[in-house]
PDB file of all heavy atoms in Angstrom:
ATOM      1  N   GLU A   6      65.311 111.063  98.172  1.00 98.00           N
ATOM      2  CA  GLU A   6      64.185 111.603  97.394  1.00 98.00           C
ATOM      3  C   GLU A   6      62.873 111.279  98.104  1.00 98.00           C
ATOM      4  O   GLU A   6      62.597 110.110  98.398  1.00 98.00           O
ATOM      5  CB  GLU A   6      64.212 110.974  95.979  1.00 98.00           C
ATOM      6  CG  GLU A   6      62.899 110.963  95.229  1.00 98.00           C
ATOM      7  CD  GLU A   6      62.328 112.334  94.905  1.00 98.00           C
ATOM      8  OE1 GLU A   6      63.105 113.283  94.655  1.00 98.00           O
ATOM      9  OE2 GLU A   6      61.084 112.467  94.921  1.00 98.00           O
ATOM     10  N   SER A   7      62.083 112.331  98.356  1.00 98.00           N
ATOM     11  CA  SER A   7      60.768 112.108  98.990  1.00 98.00           C
ATOM     12  C   SER A   7      59.766 113.179  98.555  1.00 98.00           C
ATOM     13  O   SER A   7      58.909 113.554  99.326  1.00 98.00           O
ATOM     14  CB  SER A   7      60.913 112.133 100.522  1.00 98.00           C
ATOM     15  OG  SER A   7      61.149 113.458 100.967  1.00 98.00           O
ATOM     16  N   SER A   8      59.888 113.656  97.310  1.00 98.00           N
ATOM     17  CA  SER A   8      59.053 114.801  96.913  1.00 98.00           C
ATOM     18  C   SER A   8      57.594 114.446  96.648  1.00 98.00           C
ATOM     19  O   SER A   8      56.727 115.299  96.732  1.00 98.00           O
ATOM     20  CB  SER A   8      59.645 115.464  95.665  1.00 98.00           C
ATOM     21  OG  SER A   8      59.564 114.585  94.562  1.00 98.00           O
ATOM     22  N   CYS A   9      57.339 113.179  96.338  1.00 96.00           N
ATOM     23  CA  CYS A   9      55.940 112.806  96.028  1.00 96.00           C
ATOM     24  C   CYS A   9      55.590 111.489  96.717  1.00 96.00           C
ATOM     25  O   CYS A   9      55.513 111.448  97.937  1.00 96.00           O
ATOM     26  CB  CYS A   9      55.755 112.752  94.517  1.00 96.00           C
ATOM     27  SG  CYS A   9      54.031 112.686  94.024  1.00 96.00           S
ATOM     28  N   ASP A  10      55.412 110.422  95.964  1.00 94.00           N
ATOM     29  CA  ASP A  10      54.956 109.177  96.585  1.00 94.00           C
ATOM     30  C   ASP A  10      55.978 108.041  96.514  1.00 94.00           C
ATOM     31  O   ASP A  10      55.625 106.878  96.661  1.00 94.00           O
ATOM     32  CB  ASP A  10      53.607 108.726  95.998  1.00 94.00           C
ATOM     33  CG  ASP A  10      53.636 108.579  94.488  1.00 94.00           C
ATOM     34  OD1 ASP A  10      54.599 109.067  93.866  1.00 94.00           O
ATOM     35  OD2 ASP A  10      52.701 107.991  93.927  1.00 94.00           O
ATOM     36  N   VAL A  39      47.649 110.945  94.418  1.00 92.00           N
ATOM     37  CA  VAL A  39      48.440 111.028  95.647  1.00 92.00           C
ATOM     38  C   VAL A  39      47.730 111.895  96.694  1.00 92.00           C
ATOM     39  O   VAL A  39      47.346 113.024  96.414  1.00 92.00           O
ATOM     40  CB  VAL A  39      49.842 111.606  95.347  1.00 92.00           C
ATOM     41  CG1 VAL A  39      50.653 111.748  96.625  1.00 92.00           C
ATOM     42  CG2 VAL A  39      50.569 110.715  94.350  1.00 92.00           C
ATOM     43  N   PRO A  41      48.397 113.969  99.802  1.00 95.00           N
ATOM     44  CA  PRO A  41      49.614 114.536 100.400  1.00 95.00           C
ATOM     45  C   PRO A  41      49.877 114.130 101.850  1.00 95.00           C
ATOM     46  O   PRO A  41      50.992 113.770 102.200  1.00 95.00           O
ATOM     47  CB  PRO A  41      49.391 116.052 100.284  1.00 95.00           C
ATOM     48  CG  PRO A  41      48.487 116.208  99.118  1.00 95.00           C
ATOM     49  CD  PRO A  41      47.581 115.013  99.135  1.00 95.00           C
ATOM     50  N   ALA A  44      51.081 110.687 102.078  1.00 95.00           N
ATOM     51  CA  ALA A  44      52.427 110.564 101.509  1.00 95.00           C
ATOM     52  C   ALA A  44      53.476 110.894 102.572  1.00 95.00           C
ATOM     53  O   ALA A  44      54.435 110.137 102.765  1.00 95.00           O
ATOM     54  CB  ALA A  44      52.574 111.496 100.311  1.00 95.00           C
ATOM     55  N   HIS A  48      56.301 108.308 104.128  1.00 98.00           N
ATOM     56  CA  HIS A  48      57.748 108.603 104.061  1.00 98.00           C
ATOM     57  C   HIS A  48      58.365 108.429 105.448  1.00 98.00           C
ATOM     58  O   HIS A  48      59.430 107.842 105.602  1.00 98.00           O
ATOM     59  CB  HIS A  48      57.986 110.037 103.578  1.00 98.00           C
ATOM     60  CG  HIS A  48      57.763 110.248 102.116  1.00 98.00           C
ATOM     61  ND1 HIS A  48      58.328 109.443 101.151  1.00 98.00           N
ATOM     62  CD2 HIS A  48      57.036 111.177 101.439  1.00 98.00           C
ATOM     63  CE1 HIS A  48      57.949 109.879  99.954  1.00 98.00           C
ATOM     64  NE2 HIS A  48      57.172 110.916 100.100  1.00 98.00           N
ATOM     65  N   THR A  76      66.411 116.077  97.789  1.00 98.00           N
ATOM     66  CA  THR A  76      65.452 116.898  97.019  1.00 98.00           C
ATOM     67  C   THR A  76      64.865 117.963  97.930  1.00 98.00           C
ATOM     68  O   THR A  76      64.316 117.655  98.987  1.00 98.00           O
ATOM     69  CB  THR A  76      64.300 116.012  96.499  1.00 98.00           C
ATOM     70  OG1 THR A  76      64.854 114.940  95.750  1.00 98.00           O
ATOM     71  CG2 THR A  76      63.357 116.817  95.628  1.00 98.00           C
ATOM     72  N   ARG A  77      64.945 119.255  97.504  1.00 98.00           N
ATOM     73  CA  ARG A  77      64.364 120.345  98.300  1.00 98.00           C
ATOM     74  C   ARG A  77      63.135 120.933  97.617  1.00 98.00           C
ATOM     75  O   ARG A  77      62.478 121.814  98.131  1.00 98.00           O
ATOM     76  CB  ARG A  77      65.407 121.422  98.528  1.00 98.00           C
ATOM     77  CG  ARG A  77      65.851 122.096  97.255  1.00 98.00           C
ATOM     78  CD  ARG A  77      66.779 123.246  97.505  1.00 98.00           C
ATOM     79  NE  ARG A  77      66.254 124.208  98.453  1.00 98.00           N
ATOM     80  CZ  ARG A  77      66.441 125.530  98.348  1.00 98.00           C
ATOM     81  NH1 ARG A  77      67.144 126.033  97.353  1.00 98.00           N
ATOM     82  NH2 ARG A  77      65.956 126.353  99.240  1.00 98.00           N
ATOM     83  N   GLY A  78      62.800 120.462  96.420  1.00 98.00           N
ATOM     84  CA  GLY A  78      61.637 120.936  95.676  1.00 98.00           C
ATOM     85  C   GLY A  78      61.897 120.740  94.207  1.00 98.00           C
ATOM     86  O   GLY A  78      63.018 120.396  93.837  1.00 98.00           O
ATOM     87  N   PRO A  79      60.904 120.864  93.339  1.00 98.00           N
ATOM     88  CA  PRO A  79      59.497 121.033  93.700  1.00 98.00           C
ATOM     89  C   PRO A  79      58.880 119.710  94.153  1.00 98.00           C
ATOM     90  O   PRO A  79      59.446 118.649  93.918  1.00 98.00           O
ATOM     91  CB  PRO A  79      58.875 121.496  92.375  1.00 98.00           C
ATOM     92  CG  PRO A  79      59.758 120.914  91.313  1.00 98.00           C
ATOM     93  CD  PRO A  79      61.126 120.865  91.896  1.00 98.00           C
ATOM     94  N   GLY A  80      57.737 119.815  94.805  1.00 98.00           N
ATOM     95  CA  GLY A  80      57.062 118.616  95.298  1.00 98.00           C
ATOM     96  C   GLY A  80      56.063 118.998  96.382  1.00 98.00           C
ATOM     97  O   GLY A  80      55.763 120.185  96.576  1.00 98.00           O
ATOM     98  N   LEU A  81      55.568 117.999  97.084  1.00 98.00           N
ATOM     99  CA  LEU A  81      54.599 118.240  98.155  1.00 98.00           C
ATOM    100  C   LEU A  81      55.352 118.664  99.406  1.00 98.00           C
ATOM    101  O   LEU A  81      56.314 118.009  99.805  1.00 98.00           O
ATOM    102  CB  LEU A  81      53.827 116.944  98.450  1.00 98.00           C
ATOM    103  CG  LEU A  81      53.083 116.328  97.259  1.00 98.00           C
ATOM    104  CD1 LEU A  81      52.604 114.914  97.603  1.00 98.00           C
ATOM    105  CD2 LEU A  81      51.909 117.216  96.879  1.00 98.00           C
ATOM    106  N   MET A  82      54.913 119.762 100.032  1.00 98.00           N
ATOM    107  CA  MET A  82      55.641 120.324 101.176  1.00 98.00           C
ATOM    108  C   MET A  82      55.902 119.289 102.272  1.00 98.00           C
ATOM    109  O   MET A  82      57.042 119.083 102.688  1.00 98.00           O
ATOM    110  CB  MET A  82      54.864 121.523 101.733  1.00 98.00           C
ATOM    111  CG  MET A  82      55.567 122.236 102.860  1.00 98.00           C
ATOM    112  SD  MET A  82      57.310 122.638 102.469  1.00 98.00           S
ATOM    113  CE  MET A  82      57.335 124.382 102.750  1.00 98.00           C
ATOM    114  N   GLY A  83      54.844 118.630 102.725  1.00 98.00           N
ATOM    115  CA  GLY A  83      54.996 117.670 103.820  1.00 98.00           C
ATOM    116  C   GLY A  83      55.925 116.522 103.450  1.00 98.00           C
ATOM    117  O   GLY A  83      56.734 116.069 104.266  1.00 98.00           O
ATOM    118  N   ALA A  84      55.834 116.076 102.229  1.00 98.00           N
ATOM    119  CA  ALA A  84      56.665 114.962 101.744  1.00 98.00           C
ATOM    120  C   ALA A  84      58.130 115.394 101.651  1.00 98.00           C
ATOM    121  O   ALA A  84      59.034 114.685 102.105  1.00 98.00           O
ATOM    122  CB  ALA A  84      56.159 114.491 100.390  1.00 98.00           C
ATOM    123  N   LEU A  85      58.350 116.582 101.102  1.00 98.00           N
ATOM    124  CA  LEU A  85      59.720 117.100 100.976  1.00 98.00           C
ATOM    125  C   LEU A  85      60.374 117.235 102.344  1.00 98.00           C
ATOM    126  O   LEU A  85      61.554 116.912 102.522  1.00 98.00           O
ATOM    127  CB  LEU A  85      59.708 118.488 100.315  1.00 98.00           C
ATOM    128  CG  LEU A  85      59.389 118.559  98.818  1.00 98.00           C
ATOM    129  CD1 LEU A  85      59.084 119.995  98.413  1.00 98.00           C
ATOM    130  CD2 LEU A  85      60.566 118.022  97.996  1.00 98.00           C
ATOM    131  N   LEU A  86      59.577 117.720 103.315  1.00 98.00           N
ATOM    132  CA  LEU A  86      60.134 117.968 104.655  1.00 98.00           C
ATOM    133  C   LEU A  86      60.665 116.710 105.320  1.00 98.00           C
ATOM    134  O   LEU A  86      61.637 116.770 106.065  1.00 98.00           O
ATOM    135  CB  LEU A  86      59.071 118.617 105.548  1.00 98.00           C
ATOM    136  CG  LEU A  86      58.876 120.123 105.332  1.00 98.00           C
ATOM    137  CD1 LEU A  86      57.715 120.640 106.182  1.00 98.00           C
ATOM    138  CD2 LEU A  86      60.158 120.890 105.661  1.00 98.00           C
ATOM    139  N   VAL A 106      68.987 119.595  96.273  1.00 98.00           N
ATOM    140  CA  VAL A 106      68.890 119.342  94.823  1.00 98.00           C
ATOM    141  C   VAL A 106      67.477 119.675  94.320  1.00 98.00           C
ATOM    142  O   VAL A 106      66.483 119.385  94.988  1.00 98.00           O
ATOM    143  CB  VAL A 106      69.228 117.859  94.508  1.00 98.00           C
ATOM    144  CG1 VAL A 106      68.922 117.516  93.054  1.00 98.00           C
ATOM    145  CG2 VAL A 106      70.687 117.561  94.833  1.00 98.00           C
ATOM    146  N   ASN A 107      67.431 120.305  93.153  1.00 98.00           N
ATOM    147  CA  ASN A 107      66.165 120.537  92.465  1.00 98.00           C
ATOM    148  C   ASN A 107      65.747 119.223  91.789  1.00 98.00           C
ATOM    149  O   ASN A 107      66.515 118.653  91.015  1.00 98.00           O
ATOM    150  CB  ASN A 107      66.362 121.657  91.429  1.00 98.00           C
ATOM    151  CG  ASN A 107      65.083 122.007  90.701  1.00 98.00           C
ATOM    152  OD1 ASN A 107      64.352 121.122  90.255  1.00 98.00           O
ATOM    153  ND2 ASN A 107      64.818 123.294  90.566  1.00 98.00           N
ATOM    154  N   HIS A 108      64.543 118.776  92.090  1.00 98.00           N
ATOM    155  CA  HIS A 108      64.052 117.489  91.576  1.00 98.00           C
ATOM    156  C   HIS A 108      64.073 117.429  90.040  1.00 98.00           C
ATOM    157  O   HIS A 108      64.405 116.391  89.453  1.00 98.00           O
ATOM    158  CB  HIS A 108      62.626 117.275  92.105  1.00 98.00           C
ATOM    159  CG  HIS A 108      61.972 116.011  91.690  1.00 98.00           C
ATOM    160  ND1 HIS A 108      62.132 114.827  92.375  1.00 98.00           N
ATOM    161  CD2 HIS A 108      61.154 115.719  90.651  1.00 98.00           C
ATOM    162  CE1 HIS A 108      61.432 113.880  91.775  1.00 98.00           C
ATOM    163  NE2 HIS A 108      60.824 114.398  90.720  1.00 98.00           N
ATOM    164  N   ILE A 109      63.745 118.540  89.406  1.00 98.00           N
ATOM    165  CA  ILE A 109      63.714 118.572  87.931  1.00 98.00           C
ATOM    166  C   ILE A 109      65.130 118.390  87.382  1.00 98.00           C
ATOM    167  O   ILE A 109      65.354 117.659  86.417  1.00 98.00           O
ATOM    168  CB  ILE A 109      63.106 119.898  87.409  1.00 98.00           C
ATOM    169  CG1 ILE A 109      61.729 120.128  88.021  1.00 98.00           C
ATOM    170  CG2 ILE A 109      63.022 119.914  85.892  1.00 98.00           C
ATOM    171  CD1 ILE A 109      61.128 121.497  87.718  1.00 98.00           C
ATOM    172  N   GLY A 135      54.397 115.976  87.026  1.00 94.00           N
ATOM    173  CA  GLY A 135      54.188 117.369  87.435  1.00 94.00           C
ATOM    174  C   GLY A 135      54.631 118.389  86.402  1.00 94.00           C
ATOM    175  O   GLY A 135      54.223 119.553  86.469  1.00 94.00           O
ATOM    176  N   HIS A 136      55.492 117.997  85.462  1.00 96.00           N
ATOM    177  CA  HIS A 136      56.058 118.965  84.526  1.00 96.00           C
ATOM    178  C   HIS A 136      56.136 118.445  83.103  1.00 96.00           C
ATOM    179  O   HIS A 136      56.316 117.252  82.881  1.00 96.00           O
ATOM    180  CB  HIS A 136      57.484 119.349  84.968  1.00 96.00           C
ATOM    181  CG  HIS A 136      57.511 119.991  86.311  1.00 96.00           C
ATOM    182  ND1 HIS A 136      57.607 119.275  87.472  1.00 96.00           N
ATOM    183  CD2 HIS A 136      57.428 121.293  86.677  1.00 96.00           C
ATOM    184  CE1 HIS A 136      57.577 120.098  88.500  1.00 96.00           C
ATOM    185  NE2 HIS A 136      57.461 121.332  88.054  1.00 96.00           N
ATOM    186  N   ASP A 299      60.618 108.578  89.524  1.00 98.00           N
ATOM    187  CA  ASP A 299      61.295 109.138  90.697  1.00 98.00           C
ATOM    188  C   ASP A 299      62.210 108.127  91.390  1.00 98.00           C
ATOM    189  O   ASP A 299      61.794 107.003  91.691  1.00 98.00           O
ATOM    190  CB  ASP A 299      60.252 109.665  91.692  1.00 98.00           C
ATOM    191  CG  ASP A 299      59.628 110.951  91.177  1.00 98.00           C
ATOM    192  OD1 ASP A 299      60.123 111.488  90.168  1.00 98.00           O
ATOM    193  OD2 ASP A 299      58.657 111.417  91.799  1.00 98.00           O
ATOM    194  N   ALA A 324      62.605 123.736 102.221  1.00 98.00           N
ATOM    195  CA  ALA A 324      61.896 122.994 101.161  1.00 98.00           C
ATOM    196  C   ALA A 324      61.042 124.008 100.400  1.00 98.00           C
ATOM    197  O   ALA A 324      60.402 124.862 101.012  1.00 98.00           O
ATOM    198  CB  ALA A 324      61.009 121.927 101.778  1.00 98.00           C
ATOM    199  N   ILE A 325      61.068 123.920  99.071  1.00 98.00           N
ATOM    200  CA  ILE A 325      60.278 124.861  98.257  1.00 98.00           C
ATOM    201  C   ILE A 325      59.386 124.069  97.307  1.00 98.00           C
ATOM    202  O   ILE A 325      59.860 123.517  96.310  1.00 98.00           O
ATOM    203  CB  ILE A 325      61.201 125.831  97.474  1.00 98.00           C
ATOM    204  CG1 ILE A 325      62.140 126.549  98.446  1.00 98.00           C
ATOM    205  CG2 ILE A 325      60.377 126.826  96.655  1.00 98.00           C
ATOM    206  CD1 ILE A 325      63.093 127.533  97.804  1.00 98.00           C
ATOM    207  N   PRO A 326      58.073 123.984  97.623  1.00 98.00           N
ATOM    208  CA  PRO A 326      57.157 123.155  96.819  1.00 98.00           C
ATOM    209  C   PRO A 326      57.081 123.540  95.339  1.00 98.00           C
ATOM    210  O   PRO A 326      56.867 122.677  94.500  1.00 98.00           O
ATOM    211  CB  PRO A 326      55.801 123.361  97.498  1.00 98.00           C
ATOM    212  CG  PRO A 326      56.130 123.802  98.875  1.00 98.00           C
ATOM    213  CD  PRO A 326      57.409 124.568  98.794  1.00 98.00           C
ATOM    214  N   ASN A 327      57.237 124.828  95.028  1.00 97.00           N
ATOM    215  CA  ASN A 327      57.135 125.232  93.613  1.00 97.00           C
ATOM    216  C   ASN A 327      58.483 125.701  93.064  1.00 97.00           C
ATOM    217  O   ASN A 327      58.528 126.582  92.194  1.00 97.00           O
ATOM    218  CB  ASN A 327      56.071 126.316  93.430  1.00 97.00           C
ATOM    219  CG  ASN A 327      56.409 127.562  94.222  1.00 97.00           C
ATOM    220  OD1 ASN A 327      57.347 127.551  95.026  1.00 97.00           O
ATOM    221  ND2 ASN A 327      55.677 128.628  94.000  1.00 97.00           N
ATOM    222  N   LEU A 328      59.540 125.115  93.559  1.00 97.00           N
ATOM    223  CA  LEU A 328      60.902 125.475  93.130  1.00 97.00           C
ATOM    224  C   LEU A 328      61.026 125.406  91.601  1.00 97.00           C
ATOM    225  O   LEU A 328      60.594 124.441  90.974  1.00 97.00           O
ATOM    226  CB  LEU A 328      61.896 124.512  93.776  1.00 97.00           C
ATOM    227  CG  LEU A 328      63.396 124.771  93.558  1.00 97.00           C
ATOM    228  CD1 LEU A 328      63.818 126.075  94.233  1.00 97.00           C
ATOM    229  CD2 LEU A 328      64.229 123.611  94.125  1.00 97.00           C
ATOM    230  N   LYS A 329      61.609 126.441  91.020  1.00 96.00           N
ATOM    231  CA  LYS A 329      61.788 126.462  89.555  1.00 96.00           C
ATOM    232  C   LYS A 329      63.177 125.931  89.215  1.00 96.00           C
ATOM    233  O   LYS A 329      64.074 125.909  90.049  1.00 96.00           O
ATOM    234  CB  LYS A 329      61.650 127.898  89.032  1.00 96.00           C
ATOM    235  CG  LYS A 329      60.295 128.529  89.339  1.00 96.00           C
ATOM    236  CD  LYS A 329      59.245 128.054  88.356  1.00 96.00           C
ATOM    237  CE  LYS A 329      57.857 128.573  88.667  1.00 96.00           C
ATOM    238  NZ  LYS A 329      57.164 127.919  89.785  1.00 96.00           N
TER     239      LYS A 329
END
Side-chain angles (χ1 to χ4, degrees):
E6 157 63 34
S7 72
S8 66
C9 193
D10 55 346
V39 178
H48 285 310
T76 305
R77 64 174 307 217
L81 303 168
M82 184 50 125
L85 288 166
L86 280 175
V106 171
N107 182 314
H108 180 86
I109 305 172
H136 299 88
D299 287 351
I325 305 180
N327 61 351
L328 185 66
K329 300 280 176 284

